[in-house]
Amino acid sequence: ELKVEQNPLFLSMQEGKNYTIYCNYSTTSDRLYWYRQDPGKSLESLFVLLSNGAVKQEGRLMASLDTKARLSTLHITAAVHDLSATYFCAVTLSGNTPLVFGKGTRLSVIA
Amino acid sequence: DGGITQSPKYLFRKEGQNVTLSCEQNLNHDAMYWYRQDPGQGLRLIYYSQIVNDFQKGDIAEGYSVSREKKESFPLTVTSAQKNPTAFYLCASSIDLGLAGFNEQFFGPGTRLTVL
């Protein structure tokens, strides 16, 4: 059974600081996704990581994937208030199989 | 505009009542999914369908039913057997790119169901 764990579950950051969110998964997979969710809203796709060593960056967010360690990281650089949201990682085994989600990391960026 | 629509946005259900949540997509995606989200929690899979007229149970299918009569539609019925249905329900869809591809899922705006 595929399990996905995120940590931390809650994160309070000061503006301008850097931090990393971790996503571990239990079964070999080379398909990992990061989503953002604002309060009361749906999920917005951030990154799709498909191979070992994949790194993608968008603005102040950078995601990476280490399939051997079964680990993905979401690094936040110089946090700003607009990044406050809940971030989910999700993994799928193959093809059109459903995603298995972590519990999410609720990020709050404070001045 | 291509996308996924869910209706209604808010739904109130009385005890013992069945209600149906609508999910429609015009992305020509093969697969569709229903997830449930409780406050402060991640998403849990209820049902999914990879092809018309076929669907599979997810982790928490009890008390729910679905149909997939058309490629673009995947309605979810919350039956009276579901004892704690108050939650945020999200529908998603993805295209089948085969084993070499990936199934990035796109989500609808969600339906918030409350039991009165």
Side-chain angles (χ1 to χ4, degrees):
Chain A
E1 180 188 354
L2 175 58
K3 293 186 178 180
V4 180
E5 289 189 0
Q6 281 182 244
N7 68 85
L9 297 182
F10 299 93
L11 178 57
S12 182
M13 293 179 63
Q14 281 189 316
E15 282 189 329
K17 298 292 187 183
N18 304 335
Y19 210 84
T20 301
I21 299 171
Y22 298 89
C23 176
N24 291 90
Y25 54 97
S26 61
T27 305
T28 301
S29 171
D30 57 2
R31 300 158 192 254
L32 190 136
Y33 308 80
W34 283 97
Y35 289 89
R36 169 180 171 144
Q37 186 179 37
D38 292 303
K41 302 292 186 182
S42 185
L43 271 68
E44 172 191 353
S45 179
L46 291 175
F47 300 109
V48 180
L49 302 169
L50 297 177
S51 61
N52 187 41
V55 176
K56 291 197 175 180
Q57 184 162 4
E58 180 74 33
R60 301 175 187 274
L61 300 178
M62 183 174 71
S64 65
L65 178 62
D66 181 344
T67 59
K68 294 179 181 178
R70 300 178 188 169
L71 170 69
S72 179
T73 60
L74 181 66
H75 187 72
I76 303 156
T77 301
V80 293
H81 180 71
D82 285 352
L83 290 179
S84 296
T86 299
Y87 294 86
F88 291 95
C89 66
V91 179
T92 185
L93 294 177
S94 65
N96 256 350
T97 55
L99 296 172
V100 177
F101 284 83
K103 291 190 174 181
T105 297
R106 187 180 299 178
L107 172 65
S108 177
V109 181
I110 56 177
Chain B
D1 288 336
I4 304 172
T5 57
Q6 290 185 242
S7 63
K9 186 174 181 180
Y10 298 97
L11 184 59
F12 298 90
R13 192 193 92 167
K14 295 180 180 178
E15 294 279 353
Q17 195 177 40
N18 292 357
V19 291
T20 297
L21 284 58
S22 169
C23 178
E24 304 276 332
Q25 54 96 3
N26 61 3
L27 300 168
N28 199 33
H29 283 177
D30 303 293
M32 298 185 73
Y33 313 81
W34 275 105
Y35 296 92
R36 167 179 171 146
Q37 186 178 31
D38 293 284
Q41 299 294 316
L43 280 68
R44 293 183 291 169
L45 180 69
I46 306 173
Y47 269 98
Y48 68 103
S49 168
Q50 295 175 312
I51 194 170
V52 174
N53 292 322
D54 189 38
F55 47 82
Q56 285 76 43
K57 291 182 179 180
D59 301 320
I60 55 167
E62 186 175 350
Y64 299 97
S65 66
V66 293
S67 62
R68 187 88 186 275
E69 296 177 0
K70 299 185 296 182
K71 187 176 184 178
E72 57 271 20
S73 178
F74 191 39
L76 173 74
T77 296
V78 184
T79 75
S80 56
Q82 172 49 241
K83 298 307 178 187
N84 185 24
T86 296
F88 188 45
Y89 290 85
L90 286 161
C91 177
S93 70
S94 64
I95 195 166
D96 184 0
L97 296 176
L99 292 177
F102 62 94
N103 62 327
E104 184 177 5
Q105 291 186 16
F106 296 90
F107 286 81
T111 292
R112 194 166 299 278
L113 173 63
T114 302
V115 174
L116 301 174

